[in-house]
């Protein structure tokens, strides 16, 4: 047991020596709680090696509780990774429980990769709940930022609930030609049964200068079949703004790709992607994707380093039912690169039902060159078998677009089979572009489509060789 201690000003001394406020090896039923840990409150020395606040290293199949600790950590050494809370106790499941809960981690700064809460134990139950992480920065040549990470697929039950993450920033300073890949991950999880619920992720930033970046809000590492549930999470006010980048990827919620998934009642909003060559999604997942609000997603590529950027409100990654979601205010204001906006993208070789969704105010305001080929689709379909019914799509725009089919309410863009029933699409837009056309629904000739009882209204104004088409 290690409880109620105040541990200050440690970690100075010889280079390359790891130091920890609390360290535990081969412990069972350990309790590390109610400690105050600060390696440098202004009276200490800068660390000269790998730094931990809590390092719970080992204890086979053990129980452990790490809770109610207050931690502030700083590491100015650019060559060393830091861990605020590390846990390896409880590896190999045997009806054991790992609890990492109610910790307050704040006002931390690092010059290399940081793991705020990192669990590697595949216990029977891993709970990471009710933690607060705020005011944490990582700056350096090629750092990564992991706020909460427990990605072991052999964990039986993983729960992350009611965590509050705010004001977390990763700033990358590597050369754009370095080939470096950098990650900013807020909650990364793995396990046979995953439950992420009621978390708030607010004001999260990835910026700087890099070759390739990945930004994840909630991310599951599972590649084998698993059960995953993501409910009642709020993810808001996130920015990825990396200059000189070759490739950038962001997924606000990303599920695994096999098994049973539920993504329900989440709110995703005020997200900015300002990274060249980027592919961005609000939800990248499979299974039951129900009743989520995804709005105010903004694509703004200003650099002209790579050819295209995209923003998808929801993208299928397996057999899915996408129902009852509200998607609105998703737009591209790119001035230097091609940008695409799609509300729901279902173009894999999957069986997917898309029903009772509302999509509105998806648009491009960009001017040349991105407007020349950038397009807006409410729903984009291809491959597999799709059932699309009772959706409402309106207010799609490309006000500077210069392409023959710049806007489509429903776009069956390639081969596949689609049944499209009882949908309502209403378009009424125009453009300053020389060639401008729109379609309430567009169907590629390679697709097999049956349409019944839809309402397709298009009063848009065409330009040049463009057309205003219902179908």
């Amino acid at each position: 047991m290690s409880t109620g201690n105040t541990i200050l000003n440690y970690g100075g001394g010889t280079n390359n020596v790891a130091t920890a406020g609390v360290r535990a090896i081969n412990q069972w039923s350990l309790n590390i709680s109610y400690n105050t840990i600060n390696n440098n409150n202004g009276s200490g020395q800068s660390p000269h090696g790998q730094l931990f606040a809590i390092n719970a290293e080992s204890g086979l199949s053990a129980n452990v509780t790490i809770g109610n600790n207050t931690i502030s950590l700083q590491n100015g050494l650019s060559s060393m990774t830091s861990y605020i809370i590390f846990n390896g106790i409880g590896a190999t499941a045997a009806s054991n429980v790992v609890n990492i809960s109610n910790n307050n981690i704040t006002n931390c700064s690092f010059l290399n990769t940081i793991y705020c809460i990192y669990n590697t134990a595949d216990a029977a139950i891993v709970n990471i709940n009710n933690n607060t992480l705020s005011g944490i920065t990582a700056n350096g040549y090629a750092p990564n930022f992991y706020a909460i990470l427990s990605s072991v697929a052999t964990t039986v039950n993983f729960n992350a609930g009611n965590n509050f993450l705010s004001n977390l920033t990763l700033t990358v300073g590597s050369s754009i030609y370095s080939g470096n890949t950098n990650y900013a991950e807020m909650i990364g999880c793995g396990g046979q049964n995953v439950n992420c619920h009621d978390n708030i992720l607010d004001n999260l930033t990835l910026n700087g200068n890099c070759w390739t970046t990945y930004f994840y809000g909630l991310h599951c590492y599972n590649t084998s079949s698993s059960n995953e549930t993501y409910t009642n999470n709020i993810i808001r006010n996130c920015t990825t703004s990396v200059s000189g980048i070759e490739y950038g990827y962001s997924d606000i919620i990303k599920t695994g790709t096999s098994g049973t998934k539920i993504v329900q009642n989440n709110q995703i909003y005020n997200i900015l992607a300002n990274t060249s060559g980027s592919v961005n999604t609000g939800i990248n997942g499979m299974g039951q994707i129900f009743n989520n609000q995804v709005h105010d997603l903004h694509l703004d590529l200003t650099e002209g380093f790579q050819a295209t950027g995209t923003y998808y409100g929801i993208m299928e990654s397996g057999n899915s039912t996408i129902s009852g979601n509200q998607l609105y205010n998703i737009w591209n204001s790119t001035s230097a690169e091609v940008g695409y906006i799609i509300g729901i993208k279902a173009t894999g070789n999957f069986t997917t039902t898309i029903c009772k969704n509302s999509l509105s105010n998806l648009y491009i305001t960009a001017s040349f060159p991105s407007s020349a080929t950038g397009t807006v689709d409410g729903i984009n379909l291809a491959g597999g078998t799709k059932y699309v019914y009772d959706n409402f799509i309106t207010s799609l725009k490309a006000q500077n677009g210069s392409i023959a089919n710049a806007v489509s309410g429903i776009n069956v863009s390639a081969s596949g089979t689609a049944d499209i029933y009882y949908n309502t699409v209403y378009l009424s837009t125009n453009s300053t572009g020389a060639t401008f056309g729109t379609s309430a629904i567009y169907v590629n000739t390679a697709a097999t489509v049956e349409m019944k009882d839809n309402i397709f209204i298009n009063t848009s104004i065409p330009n040049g060789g463009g057309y205003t088409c219902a179908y």
Side-chain angles (χ1 to χ4, degrees):
M1 177 180 294
S2 178
T3 62
N5 302 286
T6 298
I7 304 168
L8 305 176
N9 301 326
Y10 64 93
T14 307
N15 285 340
N16 300 321
V17 174
T19 55
V22 176
R23 184 186 184 198
I25 303 175
N26 295 326
Q27 297 294 309
W28 284 261
S29 299
L30 181 65
N31 184 6
I32 304 173
S33 298
Y34 296 100
N35 300 287
T36 298
I37 303 173
N38 188 335
N39 73 302
N40 189 348
N41 67 1
S43 300
Q45 299 180 5
S46 296
H48 291 277
Q50 196 171 61
L51 183 64
F52 300 80
I54 296 172
N55 183 8
E57 290 189 29
S58 58
L60 188 66
S61 304
N63 298 306
V64 62
T65 296
I66 302 173
N68 295 287
N69 299 285
T70 300
I71 301 173
S72 181
L73 217 62
Q74 297 83 35
N75 191 347
L77 191 64
S78 61
S79 60
M80 290 292 175
T81 297
S82 298
Y83 303 83
I84 299 176
I85 296 176
F86 171 82
N87 179 65
I89 294 176
T92 307
S95 301
N96 57 321
V97 180
V98 170
N99 283 314
I100 305 174
S101 301
N102 299 300
N103 298 284
N104 184 15
I105 302 172
T106 187
N107 297 328
C108 302
S109 62
F110 307 91
L111 291 183
N112 207 324
T113 293
I114 174 61
Y115 293 82
C116 299
I117 296 177
Y118 184 28
N119 172 69
T120 62
D122 55 343
I125 300 174
V126 174
N127 297 317
I128 302 180
N129 298 324
N130 299 299
N131 299 284
T132 297
L133 287 70
S134 65
I136 304 173
T137 62
N139 303 275
Y141 178 75
N144 299 308
F145 193 121
Y146 300 96
I148 295 174
L149 181 61
S150 182
S151 59
V152 187
T154 51
T155 299
V156 180
N157 297 287
F158 173 80
N159 303 297
N162 296 104
N163 297 287
F164 179 62
L165 283 61
S166 69
N167 298 311
L168 310 183
T169 301
L170 170 64
T171 301
V172 181
S174 64
S175 165
I176 62 173
Y177 303 108
S178 66
N180 288 329
T181 298
N182 298 95
Y183 296 85
E185 181 146 28
M186 299 305 114
I187 300 180
C189 52
Q192 299 170 34
N193 301 284
V194 170
N195 186 10
C196 291
H197 64 92
D198 297 289
N199 300 285
I200 298 176
L201 284 60
D202 183 34
N203 198 17
L204 314 174
T205 303
L206 166 61
N207 57 33
N209 197 52
C210 185
W211 180 259
T212 302
T213 62
Y214 291 84
F215 179 92
Y216 298 115
L218 307 178
H219 173 211
C220 189
Y221 281 81
N222 292 344
T223 56
S224 58
S225 182
S226 60
N227 302 313
E228 301 167 27
T229 302
Y230 308 84
T231 55
N232 302 312
N233 300 285
I234 298 173
I235 307 171
R236 64 194 180 199
N237 304 324
C238 302
T239 299
T240 58
S241 182
V242 184
S243 62
I245 194 169
E246 176 74 7
Y247 304 105
Y249 304 91
S250 69
D251 297 297
I252 305 306
I253 297 178
K254 184 174 184 179
T255 73
T257 56
S258 178
T260 301
K261 323 295 182 190
I262 298 173
V263 183
Q264 187 171 15
N265 294 328
N266 300 285
Q267 298 180 48
I268 298 170
Y269 60 92
N270 290 346
I271 314 293
L272 170 64
N274 184 357
T275 52
S276 298
S278 62
V279 179
N280 310 279
T281 67
I283 298 171
N284 180 356
M286 60 168 292
Q288 299 179 30
I289 303 175
F290 289 173
N291 302 324
N292 301 282
Q293 295 186 34
V294 181
H295 62 92
D296 292 282
L297 312 182
H298 182 193
L299 179 67
D300 184 21
L301 314 179
T302 59
E303 191 170 21
F305 189 71
Q306 178 74 2
T308 62
T310 58
Y311 223 129
Y312 309 131
I314 297 174
M315 182 170 73
E316 64 163 14
S317 61
N319 298 334
S320 302
T321 299
I322 302 171
S323 178
N325 301 284
Q326 298 180 44
L327 298 96
Y328 58 94
N329 296 349
I330 305 174
W331 81 100
N332 163 32
S333 61
T334 296
S335 59
E337 299 179 353
V338 176
Y340 298 91
I341 298 296
I342 298 176
I344 298 175
K345 179 179 171 65
T347 58
N349 190 26
F350 309 119
T351 300
T352 293
T353 296
I354 302 171
C355 63
K356 301 179 181 179
N357 300 285
S358 172
L359 300 93
S360 63
N361 214 33
L362 315 183
Y363 61 96
I364 293 176
T365 63
S367 57
F368 184 84
S370 59
S371 61
T373 54
T375 58
V376 177
D377 293 339
I379 298 174
N380 189 294
L381 308 171
T385 302
K386 317 297 182 186
Y387 302 96
V388 182
Y389 62 91
D390 283 333
N391 299 285
F392 180 75
I393 303 170
T394 190
S395 298
L396 311 186
K397 303 173 184 177
Q399 63 192 45
N400 297 309
S402 186
I403 185 172
N405 194 36
V407 175
S408 298
I410 299 173
N411 185 353
V412 186
S413 58
S415 62
T417 300
D419 292 345
I420 301 173
Y421 304 155
Y422 311 118
N423 300 281
T424 299
V425 178
Y426 175 56
L427 301 183
S428 181
T429 187
N430 58 8
S431 173
T432 61
T435 301
F436 178 72
T438 59
S439 302
I441 183 167
Y442 172 86
V443 178
N444 187 290
T445 56
T448 301
V449 174
E450 181 176 77
M451 292 187 286
K452 292 181 180 179
D453 296 314
N454 299 284
I455 299 173
F456 295 141
I457 301 173
N458 190 356
T459 62
S460 301
I461 299 173
N463 290 338
Y467 295 92
T468 293
C469 302
Y471 168 51

